[in-house]
Amino acid sequence: MLNIVLFGAPGCGKGTQAAKLKEHYGIDHVSTGEVIRSEIRRETELGKSMKECIAQGCLVPDQLVIDIVKGYVSEHCRDNGNIFDGFPRTIPQAEAFDQMLDEVGLKVDLMVYMDVPEEELVKRIMLRGQASGRADDASEEVIRHRIDTYRKQTAVVADYYAKQGKYVAVDGLGQVDEIFERIVKAIDGYKK
Ligand code: ADP
Protein backbone atom coordinates (compact mmCIF):
# COMPACT_ATOMS: atom_id res chain seq x y z
CA MET A 1 0.00 0.00 0.00
CA LEU A 2 1.50 3.26 -1.18
CA ASN A 3 -0.20 6.56 -0.39
CA ILE A 4 1.37 9.55 -2.11
CA VAL A 5 0.35 13.19 -1.82
CA LEU A 6 1.30 14.96 -5.04
CA PHE A 7 1.81 18.59 -4.17
CA GLY A 8 2.60 21.91 -5.81
CA ALA A 9 1.14 25.17 -7.06
CA PRO A 10 -1.71 25.26 -9.60
CA GLY A 11 -0.34 24.35 -13.03
CA CYS A 12 2.73 22.53 -11.72
CA GLY A 13 1.75 19.36 -13.61
CA LYS A 14 0.24 17.23 -10.83
CA GLY A 15 -2.57 15.84 -12.99
CA THR A 16 -0.22 14.86 -15.82
CA GLN A 17 2.22 13.11 -13.52
CA ALA A 18 -0.53 11.50 -11.44
CA ALA A 19 -1.87 9.73 -14.55
CA LYS A 20 1.58 8.31 -15.28
CA LEU A 21 2.23 7.29 -11.67
CA LYS A 22 -1.13 5.57 -11.50
CA GLU A 23 -0.15 3.38 -14.43
CA HIS A 24 3.43 2.78 -13.25
CA TYR A 25 2.58 1.69 -9.71
CA GLY A 26 -0.86 0.21 -10.42
CA ILE A 27 -2.46 2.49 -7.85
CA ASP A 28 -5.50 4.77 -7.86
CA HIS A 29 -5.67 8.51 -8.35
CA VAL A 30 -8.06 11.05 -6.92
CA SER A 31 -8.04 14.75 -7.79
CA THR A 32 -10.27 16.86 -5.56
CA GLY A 33 -10.38 19.50 -8.34
CA GLU A 34 -11.74 16.89 -10.77
CA VAL A 35 -14.32 15.62 -8.28
CA ILE A 36 -15.48 19.21 -7.71
CA ARG A 37 -15.67 19.93 -11.48
CA SER A 38 -17.71 16.77 -11.99
CA GLU A 39 -20.16 17.84 -9.25
CA ILE A 40 -20.49 21.22 -11.02
CA ARG A 41 -21.04 19.58 -14.44
CA ARG A 42 -23.73 17.29 -13.02
CA GLU A 43 -25.36 20.32 -11.36
CA THR A 44 -25.67 18.57 -7.99
CA GLU A 45 -26.50 20.64 -4.90
CA LEU A 46 -22.87 20.32 -3.82
CA GLY A 47 -21.73 21.43 -7.28
CA LYS A 48 -24.00 24.47 -7.27
CA SER A 49 -22.64 25.53 -3.89
CA MET A 50 -19.04 25.41 -5.16
CA LYS A 51 -19.40 26.84 -8.68
CA GLU A 52 -18.88 30.51 -7.88
CA CYS A 53 -15.97 29.83 -5.57
CA ILE A 54 -14.11 27.78 -8.20
CA ALA A 55 -14.63 30.34 -10.96
CA GLN A 56 -13.11 33.03 -8.72
CA GLY A 57 -10.11 30.85 -7.89
CA CYS A 58 -10.82 30.55 -4.16
CA LEU A 59 -10.50 27.39 -2.11
CA VAL A 60 -13.78 25.65 -1.37
CA PRO A 61 -14.59 25.24 2.37
CA ASP A 62 -12.44 22.63 4.14
CA GLN A 63 -15.37 20.52 5.32
CA LEU A 64 -16.71 20.01 1.78
CA VAL A 65 -13.43 18.58 0.46
CA ILE A 66 -12.79 16.64 3.66
CA ASP A 67 -16.15 14.90 3.17
CA ILE A 68 -15.36 14.18 -0.49
CA VAL A 69 -12.01 12.59 0.43
CA LYS A 70 -13.57 10.68 3.35
CA GLY A 71 -15.97 9.04 0.90
CA TYR A 72 -13.10 8.17 -1.42
CA VAL A 73 -10.92 6.74 1.38
CA SER A 74 -13.70 4.51 2.71
CA GLU A 75 -14.27 3.07 -0.78
CA HIS A 76 -10.60 2.64 -1.71
CA CYS A 77 -8.92 1.78 1.57
CA ARG A 78 -8.34 -1.82 0.58
CA ASP A 79 -6.69 -1.07 -2.77
CA ASN A 80 -2.97 -1.14 -3.65
CA GLY A 81 -2.45 2.54 -2.98
CA ASN A 82 -3.49 6.02 -3.98
CA ILE A 83 -2.26 9.29 -5.34
CA PHE A 84 -3.92 12.29 -3.73
CA ASP A 85 -3.76 15.27 -6.06
CA GLY A 86 -4.96 18.68 -4.84
CA PHE A 87 -5.52 17.48 -1.29
CA PRO A 88 -4.70 18.37 1.46
CA ARG A 89 -4.50 22.07 0.64
CA THR A 90 -4.76 23.56 4.15
CA ILE A 91 -3.51 22.51 7.60
CA PRO A 92 -7.05 21.61 8.84
CA GLN A 93 -7.40 19.37 5.75
CA ALA A 94 -4.02 17.73 6.49
CA GLU A 95 -5.03 17.07 10.10
CA ALA A 96 -8.44 15.68 9.11
CA PHE A 97 -6.70 13.53 6.47
CA ASP A 98 -4.33 11.94 9.02
CA GLN A 99 -7.27 11.21 11.28
CA MET A 100 -9.47 9.63 8.59
CA LEU A 101 -6.59 7.47 7.33
CA ASP A 102 -5.72 6.41 10.85
CA GLU A 103 -9.32 5.27 11.40
CA VAL A 104 -8.95 2.72 8.58
CA GLY A 105 -5.37 1.74 9.50
CA LEU A 106 -3.67 3.77 6.75
CA LYS A 107 -1.19 6.64 6.53
CA VAL A 108 0.41 9.02 4.05
CA ASP A 109 3.76 7.57 2.97
CA LEU A 110 5.22 10.54 1.15
CA MET A 111 4.46 14.03 -0.12
CA VAL A 112 6.12 14.81 -3.46
CA TYR A 113 6.41 18.54 -4.12
CA MET A 114 6.76 19.60 -7.75
CA ASP A 115 8.74 22.83 -7.88
CA VAL A 116 7.85 25.21 -10.76
CA PRO A 117 8.46 29.01 -10.92
CA GLU A 118 5.41 31.34 -11.04
CA GLU A 119 5.89 32.64 -14.60
CA GLU A 120 6.02 29.09 -15.94
CA LEU A 121 2.87 28.20 -13.94
CA VAL A 122 0.93 31.10 -15.45
CA LYS A 123 2.11 30.19 -18.96
CA ARG A 124 1.09 26.55 -18.57
CA ILE A 125 -2.35 27.34 -17.12
CA MET A 126 -3.12 29.93 -19.83
CA LEU A 127 -2.24 27.33 -22.46
CA ARG A 128 -4.32 24.64 -20.72
CA GLY A 129 -7.25 27.08 -20.48
CA GLN A 130 -7.38 27.44 -24.26
CA ALA A 131 -7.97 23.71 -24.63
CA SER A 132 -9.90 22.79 -21.47
CA GLY A 133 -12.36 25.67 -21.24
CA ARG A 134 -11.96 25.53 -17.45
CA ALA A 135 -13.53 28.69 -15.97
CA ASP A 136 -10.66 29.14 -13.53
CA ASP A 137 -8.01 28.83 -16.27
CA ALA A 138 -9.40 31.61 -18.47
CA SER A 139 -8.17 34.85 -16.93
CA GLU A 140 -4.69 35.79 -15.79
CA GLU A 141 -6.17 37.59 -12.80
CA VAL A 142 -7.89 34.43 -11.53
CA ILE A 143 -4.76 32.36 -12.18
CA ARG A 144 -2.55 34.77 -10.20
CA HIS A 145 -5.15 34.78 -7.41
CA ARG A 146 -4.98 30.96 -7.25
CA ILE A 147 -1.19 31.03 -7.08
CA ASP A 148 -1.42 33.66 -4.34
CA THR A 149 -3.91 31.51 -2.40
CA TYR A 150 -1.51 28.60 -2.79
CA ARG A 151 1.32 30.67 -1.26
CA LYS A 152 -0.78 31.98 1.62
CA GLN A 153 -2.78 28.89 2.61
CA THR A 154 -1.37 25.80 0.95
CA ALA A 155 2.43 26.05 0.89
CA VAL A 156 2.54 25.52 4.70
CA VAL A 157 1.16 22.01 4.22
CA ALA A 158 4.65 21.01 2.95
CA ASP A 159 6.08 21.80 6.42
CA TYR A 160 3.41 19.65 7.99
CA TYR A 161 4.74 16.59 6.12
CA ALA A 162 8.40 17.67 6.35
CA LYS A 163 8.07 17.61 10.14
CA GLN A 164 6.94 14.00 9.86
CA GLY A 165 9.93 13.16 7.62
CA LYS A 166 7.60 12.50 4.69
CA TYR A 167 8.54 15.27 2.26
CA VAL A 168 10.55 15.29 -0.93
CA ALA A 169 10.94 18.09 -3.51
CA VAL A 170 11.37 17.43 -7.22
CA ASP A 171 12.30 19.87 -9.98
CA GLY A 172 9.10 20.31 -12.02
CA LEU A 173 10.76 21.93 -15.04
CA GLY A 174 11.67 19.95 -18.13
CA GLN A 175 10.09 17.26 -20.30
CA VAL A 176 7.12 15.33 -18.87
CA ASP A 177 9.07 12.04 -18.96
CA GLU A 178 12.11 13.58 -17.32
CA ILE A 179 10.02 14.90 -14.44
CA PHE A 180 8.27 11.54 -14.17
CA GLU A 181 11.64 9.79 -13.77
CA ARG A 182 12.61 12.21 -11.00
CA ILE A 183 9.37 11.48 -9.14
CA VAL A 184 9.72 7.70 -9.51
CA LYS A 185 13.29 7.92 -8.23
CA ALA A 186 12.10 9.91 -5.22
CA ILE A 187 9.31 7.44 -4.43
CA ASP A 188 11.46 4.33 -4.93
CA GLY A 189 14.24 5.89 -2.86
CA TYR A 190 11.77 6.47 -0.07
CA LYS A 191 10.41 2.91 -0.25
CA LYS A 192 13.89 1.34 0.26
P1 ADP B 1 -5.07 23.42 -9.88
O1 ADP B 1 -4.02 22.53 -9.30
O2 ADP B 1 -4.72 23.86 -11.27
O3 ADP B 1 -5.45 24.53 -8.94
P2 ADP B 1 -7.24 21.63 -9.22
O4 ADP B 1 -8.01 20.84 -10.21
O5 ADP B 1 -6.39 20.89 -8.23
O6 ADP B 1 -6.39 22.63 -10.11
O7 ADP B 1 -8.23 22.56 -8.38
C1 ADP B 1 -9.13 23.45 -8.98
C2 ADP B 1 -9.90 24.24 -7.91
O8 ADP B 1 -10.66 23.35 -7.09
C3 ADP B 1 -9.03 25.01 -6.90
O9 ADP B 1 -8.64 26.28 -7.37
C4 ADP B 1 -9.98 25.11 -5.70
O10 ADP B 1 -10.93 26.12 -5.91
C5 ADP B 1 -10.73 23.79 -5.72
N1 ADP B 1 -10.10 22.77 -4.86
C6 ADP B 1 -9.51 21.63 -5.29
N2 ADP B 1 -9.02 20.93 -4.24
C7 ADP B 1 -9.31 21.66 -3.12
C8 ADP B 1 -9.05 21.50 -1.73
N3 ADP B 1 -8.37 20.43 -1.26
N4 ADP B 1 -9.49 22.45 -0.88
C9 ADP B 1 -10.16 23.52 -1.31
N5 ADP B 1 -10.42 23.75 -2.62
C10 ADP B 1 -10.01 22.84 -3.52
Side-chain angles (χ1 to χ4, degrees):
M1 183 58 136
L2 182 64
N3 287 315
I4 302 290
V5 172
L6 204 52
F7 189 72
C12 74
K14 297 186 294 282
T16 305
Q17 296 297 335
K20 292 174 74 72
L21 291 168
K22 176 180 166 169
E23 171 119 8
H24 182 83
Y25 290 105
I27 59 184
D28 264 306
H29 165 221
V30 62
S31 150
T32 43
E34 268 170 31
V35 174
I36 293 168
R37 283 189 290 280
S38 139
E39 296 282 337
I40 293 173
R41 268 196 307 273
R42 290 187 287 121
E43 297 184 343
T44 63
E45 283 310 311
L46 188 60
K48 282 182 204 158
S49 72
M50 298 187 289
K51 190 172 177 176
E52 194 54 30
C53 182
I54 293 280
Q56 288 173 3
C58 304
L59 292 183
V60 307
D62 283 336
Q63 200 54 49
L64 292 186
V65 257
I66 289 169
D67 288 344
I68 289 172
V69 176
K70 241 184 209 163
Y72 175 87
V73 166
S74 68
E75 276 171 38
H76 291 257
C77 63
R78 281 180 207 59
D79 298 352
N80 283 336
N82 305 281
I83 300 158
F84 295 90
D85 154 6
F87 183 90
R89 248 176 162 101
T90 62
I91 296 291
Q93 289 181 20
E95 288 169 350
F97 194 33
D98 272 350
Q99 197 183 339
M100 74 175 88
L101 288 175
D102 191 51
E103 277 166 17
V104 290
L106 297 179
K107 62 177 171 45
V108 169
D109 292 295
L110 188 65
M111 164 184 271
V112 180
Y113 166 63
M114 297 171 62
D115 188 15
V116 176
E118 172 155 349
E119 286 321 304
E120 174 71 14
L121 296 171
V122 175
K123 215 164 77 187
R124 287 186 191 176
I125 301 177
M126 297 285 276
L127 202 68
R128 175 172 78 185
Q130 289 167 12
S132 72
R134 262 176 64 169
D136 57 346
D137 284 352
S139 97
E140 183 166 342
E141 194 190 336
V142 171
I143 294 168
R144 296 226 183 246
H145 177 58
R146 282 159 60 203
I147 296 173
D148 202 43
T149 303
Y150 167 80
R151 287 228 179 81
K152 289 190 179 131
Q153 296 183 50
T154 306
V156 289
V157 179
D159 299 335
Y160 181 88
Y161 289 97
K163 277 187 197 135
Q164 298 182 23
K166 295 178 174 178
Y167 171 83
V168 65
V170 162
D171 179 3
L173 280 178
Q175 300 293 321
V176 169
D177 286 342
E178 243 167 44
I179 301 165
F180 175 67
E181 276 170 29
R182 287 177 204 144
I183 297 176
V184 167
K185 214 164 133 194
I187 294 174
D188 291 349
Y190 168 81
K191 282 202 296 185
K192 275 173 207 146

